[in-house]
Amino acid sequence: RYRKLLAELGMNPNEFAVEVGFHNTKSYNFLKGESEPSYKTIQQILTRFPQVNANFLLKGEMPVVHSSGAELIGSAYGDTRHT
């Protein structure tokens, strides 16, 4: 899954680690299958990349990323100002 995620995001393991905020060793361990991401790490990934499908990370369910507006954080719905 990790390899698919990196490919979909167009990133290498170092770039991904920097973006998410963890050491690149952790990223390479995921890539090699030596460790699995913790719940906290999955939260970090989803916070930084909200377009990523949580079901893909947890269960391998496709798609890797959402193709609709599902990736948007926040919305105009809470904004009661009229323009």
Side-chain angles (χ1 to χ4, degrees), residues 28 34 66 72 83:
Y28 279 102
E34 293 178 1
H66 298 288
L72 300 176
T83 54

Side-chain angles (χ1 to χ4, degrees), residues 44-56:
Q44 287 175 286
I45 292 168
L46 294 173
T47 297
R48 174 56 190 91
F49 298 103
Q51 72 272 28
V52 171
N53 179 3
N55 285 328
F56 173 76

Side-chain angles (χ1 to χ4, degrees), residues 10-64:
M11 303 181 90
N12 67 44
N14 284 329
E15 294 168 331
F16 186 77
V18 169
E19 285 293 320
V20 176
F22 54 73
H23 197 275
N24 66 353
T25 302
K26 188 181 214 180
S27 190
Y28 279 102
N29 286 341
F30 296 152
L31 192 62
K32 293 186 288 185
E34 293 178 1
S35 64
E36 296 285 325
S38 67
Y39 181 74
K40 180 180 176 185
T41 299
I42 291 172
Q43 284 182 310
Q44 287 175 286
I45 292 168
L46 294 173
T47 297
R48 174 56 190 91
F49 298 103
Q51 72 272 28
V52 171
N53 179 3
N55 285 328
F56 173 76
L57 293 178
L58 296 169
K59 301 185 244 178
E61 294 178 6
M62 299 299 273
V64 177

